[in-house]
Short mmCIF file of all heavy atoms in Angstrom, two decimals:
data_model
loop_
_atom_site.label_atom_id
_atom_site.label_comp_id
_atom_site.label_asym_id
_atom_site.label_seq_id
_atom_site.Cartn_x
_atom_site.Cartn_y
_atom_site.Cartn_z
N ASN A 447 7.36 41.76 -14.65
CA ASN A 447 8.42 40.75 -14.74
C ASN A 447 9.66 41.29 -15.45
O ASN A 447 10.71 40.64 -15.44
CB ASN A 447 7.90 39.51 -15.48
CG ASN A 447 6.79 38.81 -14.73
OD1 ASN A 447 6.89 38.58 -13.53
ND2 ASN A 447 5.71 38.50 -15.43
N ASP A 448 9.53 42.47 -16.05
CA ASP A 448 10.65 43.06 -16.80
C ASP A 448 11.38 44.13 -16.01
O ASP A 448 12.24 44.82 -16.55
CB ASP A 448 10.15 43.67 -18.12
CG ASP A 448 9.63 42.61 -19.07
OD1 ASP A 448 10.04 41.45 -18.94
OD2 ASP A 448 8.80 42.95 -19.94
N VAL A 449 11.03 44.30 -14.72
CA VAL A 449 11.67 45.34 -13.92
C VAL A 449 12.26 44.76 -12.64
O VAL A 449 11.84 43.69 -12.17
CB VAL A 449 10.67 46.48 -13.54
CG1 VAL A 449 10.10 47.13 -14.78
CG2 VAL A 449 9.57 45.96 -12.64
N CYS A 450 13.25 45.46 -12.10
CA CYS A 450 13.78 45.19 -10.76
C CYS A 450 13.12 46.17 -9.81
O CYS A 450 13.02 47.36 -10.11
CB CYS A 450 15.29 45.37 -10.73
SG CYS A 450 16.19 44.16 -11.72
N LEU A 451 12.67 45.66 -8.68
CA LEU A 451 11.95 46.48 -7.72
C LEU A 451 12.74 46.61 -6.42
O LEU A 451 13.42 45.69 -5.99
CB LEU A 451 10.59 45.86 -7.38
CG LEU A 451 9.49 45.89 -8.43
CD1 LEU A 451 8.29 45.12 -7.93
CD2 LEU A 451 9.09 47.33 -8.73
N ASP A 452 12.61 47.77 -5.80
CA ASP A 452 13.10 47.96 -4.45
C ASP A 452 12.14 48.92 -3.77
O ASP A 452 11.40 49.66 -4.44
CB ASP A 452 14.52 48.50 -4.42
CG ASP A 452 15.23 48.20 -3.10
OD1 ASP A 452 14.57 47.65 -2.19
OD2 ASP A 452 16.42 48.52 -2.97
N PHE A 453 12.14 48.92 -2.45
CA PHE A 453 11.22 49.81 -1.74
C PHE A 453 11.78 50.15 -0.38
O PHE A 453 12.65 49.47 0.15
CB PHE A 453 9.83 49.17 -1.61
CG PHE A 453 9.77 48.02 -0.63
CD1 PHE A 453 9.38 48.22 0.68
CD2 PHE A 453 10.11 46.73 -1.03
CE1 PHE A 453 9.32 47.17 1.59
CE2 PHE A 453 10.08 45.67 -0.14
CZ PHE A 453 9.67 45.89 1.17
N GLN A 454 11.26 51.23 0.18
CA GLN A 454 11.61 51.65 1.53
C GLN A 454 10.34 52.09 2.23
O GLN A 454 9.61 52.94 1.71
CB GLN A 454 12.61 52.81 1.50
CG GLN A 454 13.00 53.35 2.86
CD GLN A 454 13.89 52.39 3.65
OE1 GLN A 454 14.77 51.77 3.10
NE2 GLN A 454 13.66 52.29 4.94
N ILE A 455 10.05 51.49 3.38
CA ILE A 455 8.91 51.92 4.16
C ILE A 455 9.28 53.22 4.85
O ILE A 455 10.29 53.30 5.55
CB ILE A 455 8.49 50.85 5.19
CG1 ILE A 455 8.07 49.56 4.46
CG2 ILE A 455 7.36 51.37 6.08
CD1 ILE A 455 7.76 48.41 5.39
N LEU A 456 8.47 54.25 4.64
CA LEU A 456 8.75 55.57 5.19
C LEU A 456 8.17 55.67 6.59
O LEU A 456 7.54 54.74 7.10
CB LEU A 456 8.18 56.64 4.27
CG LEU A 456 8.66 56.57 2.82
CD1 LEU A 456 7.95 57.60 1.96
CD2 LEU A 456 10.17 56.78 2.74
N GLU A 457 8.36 56.81 7.21
CA GLU A 457 7.81 57.01 8.56
C GLU A 457 6.31 56.77 8.54
O GLU A 457 5.61 57.17 7.61
CB GLU A 457 8.10 58.44 9.04
CG GLU A 457 9.56 58.68 9.36
CD GLU A 457 9.78 60.05 9.98
OE1 GLU A 457 8.79 60.67 10.40
OE2 GLU A 457 10.93 60.49 10.02
N GLN A 458 5.85 56.10 9.57
CA GLN A 458 4.43 55.78 9.61
C GLN A 458 3.60 57.06 9.66
O GLN A 458 3.92 58.00 10.39
CB GLN A 458 4.12 54.92 10.85
CG GLN A 458 5.01 53.69 10.96
CD GLN A 458 4.81 52.72 9.81
OE1 GLN A 458 3.73 52.65 9.25
NE2 GLN A 458 5.85 51.99 9.46
N ASN A 459 2.51 57.07 8.88
CA ASN A 459 1.65 58.25 8.92
C ASN A 459 0.63 58.11 10.03
O ASN A 459 0.64 57.16 10.80
CB ASN A 459 0.98 58.48 7.55
CG ASN A 459 0.15 57.27 7.11
OD1 ASN A 459 -0.26 56.48 7.94
ND2 ASN A 459 -0.06 57.15 5.81
N ALA A 460 -0.26 59.09 10.11
CA ALA A 460 -1.21 59.14 11.22
C ALA A 460 -2.22 58.00 11.19
O ALA A 460 -2.77 57.61 12.21
CB ALA A 460 -1.93 60.48 11.22
N ASP A 461 -2.48 57.45 10.02
CA ASP A 461 -3.46 56.38 9.87
C ASP A 461 -2.86 55.06 10.35
O ASP A 461 -1.89 54.58 9.78
CB ASP A 461 -3.89 56.26 8.40
CG ASP A 461 -5.10 55.36 8.23
OD1 ASP A 461 -5.26 54.43 9.05
OD2 ASP A 461 -5.88 55.58 7.28
N PRO A 462 -3.43 54.45 11.40
CA PRO A 462 -2.84 53.21 11.93
C PRO A 462 -2.97 52.02 10.99
O PRO A 462 -2.34 50.99 11.21
CB PRO A 462 -3.63 52.98 13.22
CG PRO A 462 -4.93 53.67 13.01
CD PRO A 462 -4.63 54.86 12.16
N LYS A 463 -3.79 52.16 9.95
CA LYS A 463 -4.01 51.04 9.04
C LYS A 463 -3.24 51.17 7.73
O LYS A 463 -3.29 50.28 6.89
CB LYS A 463 -5.51 50.90 8.73
CG LYS A 463 -6.36 50.57 9.95
CD LYS A 463 -7.82 50.40 9.56
CE LYS A 463 -8.67 50.03 10.78
NZ LYS A 463 -10.10 49.84 10.41
N GLN A 464 -2.51 52.28 7.55
CA GLN A 464 -1.82 52.50 6.29
C GLN A 464 -0.35 52.88 6.53
O GLN A 464 0.01 53.33 7.61
CB GLN A 464 -2.51 53.59 5.47
CG GLN A 464 -3.88 53.19 4.96
CD GLN A 464 -4.44 54.23 4.01
OE1 GLN A 464 -4.30 55.44 4.25
NE2 GLN A 464 -5.08 53.79 2.93
N MET A 465 0.44 52.69 5.50
CA MET A 465 1.84 53.10 5.55
C MET A 465 2.24 53.66 4.19
O MET A 465 1.65 53.32 3.15
CB MET A 465 2.75 51.93 5.92
CG MET A 465 2.75 50.78 4.93
SD MET A 465 3.81 49.42 5.50
CE MET A 465 3.67 48.27 4.12
N GLU A 466 3.21 54.56 4.22
CA GLU A 466 3.74 55.14 2.98
C GLU A 466 5.01 54.39 2.60
O GLU A 466 5.86 54.10 3.44
CB GLU A 466 4.02 56.63 3.15
CG GLU A 466 2.76 57.46 3.30
CD GLU A 466 3.04 58.95 3.29
OE1 GLU A 466 4.14 59.34 3.72
OE2 GLU A 466 2.18 59.72 2.86
N VAL A 467 5.12 54.11 1.31
CA VAL A 467 6.24 53.34 0.80
C VAL A 467 6.84 54.06 -0.40
O VAL A 467 6.11 54.54 -1.27
CB VAL A 467 5.77 51.92 0.37
CG1 VAL A 467 6.92 51.15 -0.28
CG2 VAL A 467 5.22 51.15 1.56
N LEU A 468 8.17 54.18 -0.40
CA LEU A 468 8.86 54.73 -1.56
C LEU A 468 9.22 53.56 -2.46
O LEU A 468 9.98 52.67 -2.08
CB LEU A 468 10.12 55.49 -1.13
CG LEU A 468 10.86 56.19 -2.28
CD1 LEU A 468 10.01 57.33 -2.85
CD2 LEU A 468 12.19 56.73 -1.80
N LEU A 469 8.63 53.55 -3.65
CA LEU A 469 8.80 52.46 -4.60
C LEU A 469 9.77 52.88 -5.70
O LEU A 469 9.64 53.96 -6.27
CB LEU A 469 7.44 52.10 -5.21
CG LEU A 469 7.41 51.03 -6.29
CD1 LEU A 469 7.73 49.67 -5.69
CD2 LEU A 469 6.05 51.01 -6.97
N VAL A 470 10.74 52.05 -5.99
CA VAL A 470 11.69 52.31 -7.07
C VAL A 470 11.71 51.10 -8.00
O VAL A 470 11.87 49.97 -7.54
CB VAL A 470 13.11 52.57 -6.54
CG1 VAL A 470 14.06 52.89 -7.69
CG2 VAL A 470 13.11 53.71 -5.53
N ALA A 471 11.51 51.36 -9.28
CA ALA A 471 11.53 50.28 -10.27
C ALA A 471 12.43 50.70 -11.42
O ALA A 471 12.42 51.86 -11.84
CB ALA A 471 10.12 49.98 -10.78
N ALA A 472 13.20 49.76 -11.94
CA ALA A 472 14.06 50.04 -13.09
C ALA A 472 13.99 48.85 -14.04
O ALA A 472 13.92 47.69 -13.59
CB ALA A 472 15.51 50.28 -12.64
N LYS A 473 13.99 49.13 -15.31
CA LYS A 473 13.89 48.06 -16.30
C LYS A 473 15.08 47.11 -16.15
O LYS A 473 16.24 47.54 -16.13
CB LYS A 473 13.82 48.64 -17.70
CG LYS A 473 12.56 49.46 -17.96
CD LYS A 473 12.45 49.95 -19.38
CE LYS A 473 12.07 48.80 -20.31
NZ LYS A 473 11.76 49.29 -21.68
N ARG A 474 14.77 45.84 -16.02
CA ARG A 474 15.79 44.83 -15.78
C ARG A 474 16.84 44.81 -16.90
O ARG A 474 18.04 44.70 -16.66
CB ARG A 474 15.11 43.46 -15.67
CG ARG A 474 15.98 42.36 -15.13
CD ARG A 474 15.19 41.06 -15.04
NE ARG A 474 14.03 41.19 -14.19
CZ ARG A 474 14.04 41.03 -12.86
NH1 ARG A 474 15.18 40.76 -12.26
NH2 ARG A 474 12.93 41.15 -12.16
N GLU A 475 16.37 44.94 -18.14
CA GLU A 475 17.27 44.93 -19.29
C GLU A 475 18.25 46.10 -19.24
O GLU A 475 19.44 45.95 -19.53
CB GLU A 475 16.45 44.99 -20.58
CG GLU A 475 17.27 44.94 -21.84
CD GLU A 475 16.40 45.03 -23.09
OE1 GLU A 475 15.19 45.34 -22.96
OE2 GLU A 475 16.93 44.83 -24.19
N MET A 476 17.76 47.28 -18.82
CA MET A 476 18.62 48.45 -18.73
C MET A 476 19.69 48.27 -17.65
O MET A 476 20.86 48.58 -17.86
CB MET A 476 17.77 49.69 -18.41
CG MET A 476 18.57 50.97 -18.26
SD MET A 476 17.63 52.29 -17.47
CE MET A 476 17.51 51.69 -15.80
N LEU A 477 19.29 47.74 -16.49
CA LEU A 477 20.24 47.53 -15.40
C LEU A 477 21.31 46.51 -15.79
O LEU A 477 22.49 46.69 -15.49
CB LEU A 477 19.50 47.06 -14.14
CG LEU A 477 18.66 48.09 -13.41
CD1 LEU A 477 18.00 47.45 -12.19
CD2 LEU A 477 19.47 49.29 -12.99
N ALA A 478 20.88 45.44 -16.47
CA ALA A 478 21.84 44.41 -16.89
C ALA A 478 22.85 44.99 -17.87
O ALA A 478 24.06 44.73 -17.77
CB ALA A 478 21.10 43.23 -17.51
N ALA A 479 22.36 45.79 -18.83
CA ALA A 479 23.26 46.40 -19.82
C ALA A 479 24.21 47.38 -19.14
O ALA A 479 25.39 47.47 -19.49
CB ALA A 479 22.44 47.11 -20.90
N HIS A 480 23.69 48.12 -18.16
CA HIS A 480 24.51 49.09 -17.43
C HIS A 480 25.62 48.37 -16.67
O HIS A 480 26.79 48.77 -16.72
CB HIS A 480 23.61 49.88 -16.48
CG HIS A 480 24.29 51.02 -15.81
ND1 HIS A 480 24.33 52.29 -16.36
CD2 HIS A 480 24.96 51.11 -14.64
CE1 HIS A 480 25.00 53.10 -15.55
NE2 HIS A 480 25.39 52.41 -14.51
N ALA A 481 25.26 47.30 -15.96
CA ALA A 481 26.25 46.56 -15.18
C ALA A 481 27.28 45.91 -16.10
O ALA A 481 28.48 45.89 -15.79
CB ALA A 481 25.55 45.50 -14.33
N ASP A 482 26.83 45.39 -17.24
CA ASP A 482 27.77 44.77 -18.19
C ASP A 482 28.77 45.79 -18.73
O ASP A 482 29.95 45.48 -18.91
CB ASP A 482 26.99 44.14 -19.36
CG ASP A 482 26.29 42.85 -18.96
OD1 ASP A 482 26.63 42.30 -17.90
OD2 ASP A 482 25.39 42.41 -19.71
#
Side-chain angles (χ1 to χ4, degrees):
N447 296 313
D448 294 336
V449 301
C450 293
L451 289 175
D452 202 355
F453 71 95
Q454 178 71 40
I455 298 175
L456 304 175
E457 289 186 15
Q458 307 297 331
N459 58 22
D461 191 330
K463 296 182 178 180
Q464 292 187 320
M465 63 182 182
E466 291 187 331
V467 175
L468 184 66
L469 177 69
V470 182
K473 295 184 75 172
R474 193 179 301 274
E475 182 181 11
M476 179 195 70
L477 288 180
H480 188 89
D482 286 344

